[in-house]
Amino acid sequence: MEVLMSDNIRFERGMRNLSAIDGDGGRRVVESLADIAPDFARYLVEFPFGDIYERNGLSLRDREIATIAALAALGNALPQLKVHIQAGLNVGVTRSEIVEILMQMAVYAGFPAALNGLFAAKEVFAEATSKAGAA
Amino acid sequence: MEVLMSDNIRFERGMRNLSAIDGDGGRRVVESLADIAPDFARYLVEFPFGDIYERNGLSLRDREIATIAALAALGNALPQLKVHIQAGLNVGVTRSEIVEILMQMAVYAGFPAALNGLFAAKEVFAEATSKAGAA
Amino acid sequence: MEVLMSDNIRFERGMRNLSAIDGDGGRRVVESLADIAPDFARYLVEFPFGDIYERNGLSLRDREIATIAALAALGNALPQLKVHIQAGLNVGVTRSEIVEILMQMAVYAGFPAALNGLFAAKEVFAEATSKAGAA
Amino acid sequence: MEVLMSDNIRFERGMRNLSAIDGDGGRRVVESLADIAPDFARYLVEFPFGDIYERNGLSLRDREIATIAALAALGNALPQLKVHIQAGLNVGVTRSEIVEILMQMAVYAGFPAALNGLFAAKEVFAEATSKAGAA
Amino acid sequence: MEVLMSDNIRFERGMRNLSAIDGDGGRRVVESLADIAPDFARYLVEFPFGDIYERNGLSLRDREIATIAALAALGNALPQLKVHIQAGLNVGVTRSEIVEILMQMAVYAGFPAALNGLFAAKEVFAEATSKAGAA
Amino acid sequence: MEVLMSDNIRFERGMRNLSAIDGDGGRRVVESLADIAPDFARYLVEFPFGDIYERNGLSLRDREIATIAALAALGNALPQLKVHIQAGLNVGVTRSEIVEILMQMAVYAGFPAALNGLFAAKEVFAEATSKAGAA
């Protein structure tokens, strides 16, 4: 892929946002693409994180509320939902707020979508707790 | 349908929340169910608005951010998306924040979902403007 | 398309089932395909109606309950949902049973899916009533 | 969560219906929510099972036919599909009827949805058989 | 939105690709965003058309086959499906090939998805014919 | 299930196509249905592979491009997506073309759908490589 000068700028600010928001989870996703679709890893960093999450006009906290709700409602992207539940915690959405968001999805996407979202949150919270304990 | 005492309490607080959040849009939905499924109108008021939206722990503003994101991502509930774009405006989500939320859905549900959400917002904003003009 | 002998048998029994179940609605769908995809009209008659609906082991009434539920839950096939709400009436699912099925979809696919299903039923019932009146 | 008097009534009849319909599967779901979202366990019992499944106007057998069809068509709630395949058996839908419902989903949601539903049924039936053998 | 130098390059090649592929349809979409989300119009041109459709390794014809199939299978983005059916014609997918793709979706997303895709193609083909007649 | 004469012809050509396209993957699916829904194994062979994939008017290569795109976009049929990524390789879609198709799905179904499709491709490619090594 031809790399334009400012793509490096978009990539760099994307990586900065990705680290700030998703932490290890995001970095692992990018690394896991290295041997199958390295260009896609670049697009993933550049567009969502270098363009969208870089924008003013909506706080990172509000952006993660929207992402957690959307991924839970769609119900077919569990790994990404877990990454963004952790991302929500990273940018200041509390555990109880995440649980409220997931519970609310029962209204718009049905009880199974809410249940599967809550079980994903349960795993992410447990992992976060054990990490904190290990620290 | 047997009506339990406290169902009346749940219904009353649900109607109060429904009016505060969705305004006319919500009331029209309830009325439109009167001749086909009056019990469902009651459940719609009681569970989503009497139980979920009554809960503390997440602001109404955050709840509408989650709902707008979820309905735009699902992409198969346009009338409800419009009601909740107006609801977002009613509870303090700004037009530009709603546009940011819908744009972000391109990342998680694809560009068509974001486009159709933005066109829905365009209609709701135009209607809100003309009402304001008429006032 | 090469037409095999027994495809004619499958097509004939499919048309017989299609007429019995979906009535005019089904026939109109088949006719509307004539100038864009006549082979697909044949497949539509042969596989769903000539193979599946021909099977013993589940009553037509139960089959329509399943189809109405599935189409309402998917929420992206409104014309087909209307055809099958009428089909349900044709094979003995009552109006109030159809309303119960659609209400129940709020639990599994969310309130918007149930609402849009109920509004579709409202239209189909009104049309059925006016036809009955005209008769 | 403030608990209204009649919520206890709704909860009790919901638990009764949940046990009658989903048996252990349903109880396990409620228990698994205890440490992440106990209020949601309560809503799950109260609204779907205390309100919807309590209603007259559609038999439990017909309700499970609708639920199995909807969850198989959506294709993104496999754990819940398994619970309701068992629930169907519990309320009198036969194995061969469940297979017919899942096969029919190929028409409305595609062959992959039907296949994944049938493989889920295969697991549930095997488990039910081994339990019966153990009894 | 801060505009980086090479974003102009990405935008220009994106507009060139958009015109070549989607013709008027694509341009109309971009214009329709001007007053609601101009930045999104820019992203739509830059990422899908400036980055993805600019890539070597898959022909435009193959890319449109993939897009038509995906949008028909999703079944919740009809306006975009129509734009890409026309786009397919623009880059050398024949009418009968488009019909084959849409028919095939019956296998993977169900007959309603295929039907609604075929009816969309019928409209697009009729419009293309009348334009050709007018020319 | 009554078996019509020409159903045998459809079944035979379907099995021939299934073997040519999906190889072992397809055969394993058919075998896995033997004890739960043997009639469905027959329909799966007859309609998708005996009718649709038998048709002229679209190359097998183009058909697999459409199927890979559709299954990746739907995002809820991972086992079938893997079977068809292998099928694509079998009928001449290259690894890099498959990666391009999956990357493009980020535009139409979101980045999570593309990511999960790419990770599925990674597994299929690794398995194909190890088989080749074993040969």
Side-chain angles (χ1 to χ4, degrees):
Chain A
M1 182 181 66
E2 164 204 18
V3 179
L4 303 172
M5 206 30 184
S6 85
D7 283 338
N8 289 331
I9 298 171
R10 292 171 67 233
F11 185 81
E12 282 154 25
R13 74 185 182 201
M15 281 305 293
R16 196 170 53 246
N17 290 334
L18 182 66
S19 300
I21 297 163
D22 291 349
D24 294 346
R27 215 176 293 101
R28 270 194 300 275
V29 171
V30 170
E31 287 162 5
S32 67
L33 287 165
D35 59 350
I36 179 81
D39 291 356
F40 193 70
R42 172 168 277 278
Y43 293 137
L44 177 64
V45 172
E46 286 174 349
F47 173 58
F49 293 97
D51 289 342
I52 297 295
Y53 283 91
E54 178 76 11
R55 296 176 59 80
N56 302 324
L58 193 68
S59 71
L60 284 181
R61 185 181 168 284
D62 291 344
R63 289 193 184 279
E64 287 303 328
I65 290 171
T67 300
I68 291 166
L71 292 176
L74 289 170
N76 61 4
L78 199 60
Q80 290 76 27
L81 175 59
K82 287 182 185 175
V83 166
H84 282 280
I85 287 170
Q86 180 58 61
L89 296 174
N90 297 345
V91 299
V93 191
T94 66
R95 288 185 180 202
S96 63
E97 288 173 325
I98 288 168
V99 167
E100 288 294 328
I101 295 162
L102 295 169
M103 284 171 56
Q104 186 172 320
M105 290 305 104
V107 175
Y108 299 103
F111 278 73
L115 278 168
N116 294 326
L118 287 164
F119 294 141
K122 195 172 170 174
E123 287 182 47
V124 174
F125 294 170
E127 205 181 306
T129 300
S130 67
K131 270 189 195 146
Chain B
M1 182 181 65
E2 167 204 17
V3 178
L4 303 172
M5 207 29 183
S6 84
D7 283 340
N8 289 331
I9 298 172
R10 293 170 68 231
F11 186 80
E12 282 153 27
R13 74 186 182 198
M15 281 304 293
R16 194 169 58 246
N17 291 334
L18 182 66
S19 299
I21 297 165
D22 291 351
D24 295 346
R27 216 177 292 99
R28 269 195 300 275
V29 170
V30 170
E31 288 162 5
S32 65
L33 287 165
D35 60 351
I36 178 83
D39 291 355
F40 194 71
R42 173 170 276 279
Y43 293 137
L44 177 64
V45 172
E46 287 174 351
F47 173 60
F49 294 98
D51 289 341
I52 297 294
Y53 283 92
E54 179 75 10
R55 295 176 60 80
N56 302 325
L58 194 67
S59 70
L60 284 181
R61 183 182 171 286
D62 291 344
R63 290 193 184 280
E64 287 303 330
I65 289 172
T67 300
I68 291 166
L71 292 175
L74 289 170
N76 61 3
L78 201 59
Q80 289 76 27
L81 176 59
K82 287 182 184 175
V83 166
H84 282 279
I85 287 171
Q86 180 58 59
L89 295 173
N90 297 345
V91 299
V93 192
T94 67
R95 288 185 180 201
S96 63
E97 287 173 325
I98 289 168
V99 167
E100 289 293 328
I101 295 162
L102 295 169
M103 285 170 55
Q104 186 173 323
M105 291 303 104
V107 176
Y108 300 103
F111 279 74
L115 279 168
N116 294 326
L118 287 164
F119 294 142
K122 196 172 170 175
E123 286 182 46
V124 174
F125 295 169
E127 206 180 304
T129 301
S130 66
K131 270 190 195 149
Chain C
M1 181 182 65
E2 165 206 17
V3 179
L4 302 173
M5 207 29 181
S6 84
D7 284 339
N8 289 332
I9 299 171
R10 293 170 67 232
F11 186 80
E12 280 154 27
R13 75 187 182 199
M15 280 305 293
R16 193 169 57 245
N17 290 334
L18 182 66
S19 299
I21 297 165
D22 291 350
D24 295 345
R27 216 176 294 100
R28 268 194 301 275
V29 170
V30 170
E31 287 162 6
S32 66
L33 287 165
D35 60 351
I36 178 81
D39 291 355
F40 193 70
R42 172 169 277 279
Y43 293 136
L44 177 64
V45 173
E46 287 174 348
F47 174 60
F49 294 97
D51 290 341
I52 297 294
Y53 283 92
E54 179 75 10
R55 296 175 59 80
N56 303 323
L58 193 68
S59 70
L60 284 181
R61 183 182 171 285
D62 291 345
R63 290 194 183 279
E64 287 303 329
I65 289 172
T67 299
I68 291 166
L71 292 175
L74 289 170
N76 61 4
L78 200 59
Q80 289 76 27
L81 176 59
K82 287 183 185 176
V83 166
H84 282 279
I85 288 170
Q86 181 58 60
L89 296 174
N90 296 346
V91 299
V93 192
T94 67
R95 288 185 180 201
S96 64
E97 287 173 326
I98 289 169
V99 167
E100 288 294 327
I101 296 162
L102 295 169
M103 285 170 57
Q104 186 172 321
M105 291 305 104
V107 175
Y108 299 103
F111 279 74
L115 278 168
N116 294 326
L118 287 164
F119 294 142
K122 196 173 170 174
E123 287 182 47
V124 173
F125 295 169
E127 206 179 304
T129 301
S130 66
K131 271 191 195 145
Chain D
M1 180 180 67
E2 166 205 15
V3 178
L4 302 173
M5 205 33 187
S6 83
D7 283 338
N8 289 331
I9 299 171
R10 292 171 66 233
F11 185 80
E12 282 153 25
R13 74 185 183 201
M15 281 305 294
R16 196 169 53 245
N17 290 334
L18 182 65
S19 300
I21 297 164
D22 290 351
D24 295 345
R27 216 176 293 102
R28 268 194 301 274
V29 170
V30 170
E31 287 162 5
S32 66
L33 287 165
D35 60 349
I36 179 80
D39 291 355
F40 193 70
R42 173 167 275 281
Y43 293 138
L44 177 64
V45 172
E46 287 174 349
F47 174 59
F49 294 96
D51 289 341
I52 297 295
Y53 283 91
E54 179 76 11
R55 296 176 58 80
N56 302 324
L58 193 68
S59 70
L60 285 181
R61 184 182 169 285
D62 291 345
R63 289 194 184 278
E64 286 304 329
I65 289 171
T67 300
I68 290 166
L71 292 175
L74 289 169
N76 61 2
L78 200 59
Q80 290 76 27
L81 176 59
K82 287 181 186 177
V83 166
H84 283 280
I85 287 170
Q86 180 59 61
L89 296 173
N90 297 344
V91 299
V93 191
T94 67
R95 289 185 180 202
S96 63
E97 287 173 325
I98 288 169
V99 167
E100 288 293 328
I101 294 161
L102 295 169
M103 285 170 56
Q104 186 173 321
M105 290 305 105
V107 176
Y108 299 103
F111 279 73
L115 279 168
N116 294 326
L118 287 164
F119 294 141
K122 195 172 171 174
E123 286 182 45
V124 174
F125 294 169
E127 206 180 306
T129 300
S130 66
K131 271 190 195 146
Chain E
M1 183 181 66
E2 166 205 15
V3 179
L4 303 173
M5 207 30 182
S6 84
D7 283 340
N8 288 331
I9 299 171
R10 292 171 66 232
F11 186 80
E12 281 154 27
R13 74 186 182 199
M15 282 304 293
R16 195 169 54 244
N17 291 334
L18 182 67
S19 300
I21 297 164
D22 291 351
D24 295 347
R27 215 177 293 99
R28 268 195 301 275
V29 170
V30 170
E31 287 162 6
S32 66
L33 287 164
D35 60 352
I36 179 79
D39 291 356
F40 194 71
R42 173 169 275 280
Y43 293 136
L44 177 64
V45 172
E46 286 174 350
F47 174 58
F49 294 97
D51 290 340
I52 297 295
Y53 283 91
E54 179 75 11
R55 297 176 58 80
N56 303 324
L58 193 68
S59 71
L60 284 181
R61 183 182 171 285
D62 291 344
R63 288 193 184 281
E64 287 303 329
I65 289 171
T67 300
I68 291 166
L71 292 175
L74 289 169
N76 61 4
L78 200 60
Q80 290 75 27
L81 176 59
K82 287 182 185 175
V83 166
H84 281 279
I85 287 170
Q86 180 58 60
L89 296 174
N90 296 345
V91 299
V93 191
T94 67
R95 289 186 179 202
S96 63
E97 287 172 326
I98 288 168
V99 167
E100 289 293 327
I101 294 162
L102 295 169
M103 285 170 56
Q104 186 172 323
M105 290 304 104
V107 175
Y108 298 103
F111 278 73
L115 279 168
N116 293 326
L118 287 164
F119 294 141
K122 195 173 169 174
E123 286 182 47
V124 174
F125 294 169
E127 206 179 304
T129 301
S130 66
K131 272 193 193 142
Chain F
M1 181 179 69
E2 165 204 18
V3 179
L4 303 172
M5 208 30 188
S6 84
D7 283 339
N8 289 332
I9 299 171
R10 292 172 67 233
F11 185 80
E12 282 154 26
R13 75 185 181 201
M15 281 305 292
R16 196 170 53 245
N17 290 333
L18 182 66
S19 300
I21 297 164
D22 290 352
D24 295 345
R27 214 175 296 102
R28 269 194 300 275
V29 170
V30 170
E31 287 161 5
S32 65
L33 287 164
D35 60 350
I36 179 81
D39 291 355
F40 193 70
R42 173 169 275 281
Y43 294 137
L44 178 63
V45 172
E46 287 174 349
F47 174 58
F49 293 97
D51 289 342
I52 297 294
Y53 282 91
E54 178 77 10
R55 295 176 58 80
N56 302 325
L58 193 68
S59 70
L60 284 181
R61 184 181 170 285
D62 291 345
R63 290 193 183 278
E64 286 304 328
I65 290 171
T67 299
I68 291 165
L71 292 175
L74 290 170
N76 61 3
L78 200 58
Q80 290 76 27
L81 176 59
K82 287 182 186 177
V83 166
H84 282 280
I85 287 171
Q86 181 58 59
L89 296 174
N90 297 344
V91 300
V93 191
T94 67
R95 289 185 178 201
S96 63
E97 288 173 324
I98 288 168
V99 167
E100 288 294 327
I101 294 161
L102 295 169
M103 285 170 56
Q104 187 172 320
M105 290 305 104
V107 176
Y108 299 104
F111 278 74
L115 278 168
N116 294 326
L118 288 164
F119 294 141
K122 195 172 170 173
E123 286 181 46
V124 174
F125 295 169
E127 205 180 306
T129 300
S130 66
K131 272 191 197 148

